[in-house]
Amino acid sequence: GGVVFGKVWNDQFCHELFSWMVVSNMTYGEAKPEIYVQMGHTDTVESVAFSPDGNYIASGSSDNTIKLWEASTGKLVRTFVGHEDIVESVAFSPDGNYIASGSRDKTIKLREVSTGEVVWTVKGHESMVNSVAFSPDGKYIASAGSWDERIKLWEASTGKLVRTFEGHEYGVNSVAFSPDGNYIASGSWDKTIKLWEVSTGKLVRTFVEHEYGVNSVAFSPDGDYIASGSSDRTIKLWEVSTGELVRTF
């Protein structure tokens, strides 16, 4: 057996399509090898996420689908359909049994990985959903709305809205939970990062130094620092407890 990777360019849309071919049960001299050809997404890939065990990769695309891939082989396991617009963000639950997705169709969907079934769909934002994230204990999902300037917290088991975080002055691009699950960091086009208390929705701190919108935020594994990436072409490292800028990359 063998694997052949191919890459196809669509110049009109500048999108990459990937295909792979598996040839199995073939020995030299046999006339009819088994051939399997597979195509990937048909439009831009907006988001990727590893399953907690590292065995799978989920990808969200402008073709409105989510695809589940076997990491060790590149094999497509399943395609999830149902969103009516671009899938901006995907995230695995901590136990790996579910995938949350946020879309430009203004919805968040929770799906069962093993079956592809939609567990629930909520439409709580006034515009596209840019980012979704699971809490470390898997009980909650945070979502960031683009133009409605809000972060929302959802009960993962039911899709029930727990609370809304308000304070950004422009669209929110990214959300992340602290490792202990007590805080959410959010990055916005208003050039700021905000730190929120999950249990109350209280704004704890605002980090201000970026010159343009903040596109991505992440906590350090110990929860002591936040990294942020911005359209000002910099990455900044912040101390969570004080809000002080540690350094700029």
Side-chain angles (χ1 to χ4, degrees), residues 45-222:
V45 177
E46 301 287 345
S47 178
V48 291
F50 264 102
S51 62
D53 61 10
N55 291 332
Y56 300 98
I57 297 169
S59 55
S61 170
S62 293
D63 64 12
N64 303 353
T65 72
I66 298 142
K67 290 182 182 288
L68 184 69
W69 310 87
E70 193 173 277
S72 61
T73 65
K75 179 182 178 182
L76 177 63
V77 178
R78 183 168 291 110
T79 298
F80 305 84
V81 298
H83 278 298
E84 297 177 358
D85 208 332
I86 293 170
V87 180
E88 293 284 354
S89 181
V90 291
F92 275 93
S93 60
D95 61 10
N97 292 331
Y98 301 94
I99 292 174
S101 56
S103 170
R104 288 193 186 183
D105 65 11
K106 306 178 185 179
T107 70
I108 299 108
K109 291 182 182 290
L110 184 72
R111 302 166 189 273
E112 194 173 60
V113 172
S114 61
T115 65
E117 294 293 322
V118 176
V119 180
W120 50 254
T121 300
V122 293
K123 191 172 185 178
H125 287 283
E126 297 174 8
S127 61
M128 65 183 182
V129 181
N130 281 340
S131 180
V132 291
F134 270 94
S135 61
D137 61 8
K139 291 182 179 180
Y140 302 106
I141 295 170
S143 62
S146 135
W147 300 110
D148 66 10
E149 305 166 5
R150 295 177 175 89
I151 300 104
K152 291 182 181 287
L153 187 69
W154 311 89
E155 193 173 81
S157 60
T158 64
K160 178 184 176 182
L161 180 63
V162 178
R163 65 179 45 88
T164 300
F165 305 78
E166 299 186 51
H168 279 295
E169 297 178 359
Y170 208 19
V172 185
N173 288 322
S174 180
V175 289
F177 277 93
S178 61
D180 62 9
N182 291 331
Y183 301 98
I184 291 172
S186 57
S188 168
W189 282 320
D190 66 10
K191 309 176 188 178
T192 73
I193 301 104
K194 291 183 182 291
L195 185 70
W196 311 86
E197 192 172 61
V198 172
S199 61
T200 64
K202 178 185 176 182
L203 176 62
V204 178
R205 186 167 289 111
T206 300
F207 305 78
V208 182
E209 283 290 341
H210 280 295
E211 297 178 4
Y212 291 99
V214 179
N215 297 317
S216 184
V217 292
F219 276 92
S220 61
D222 60 10

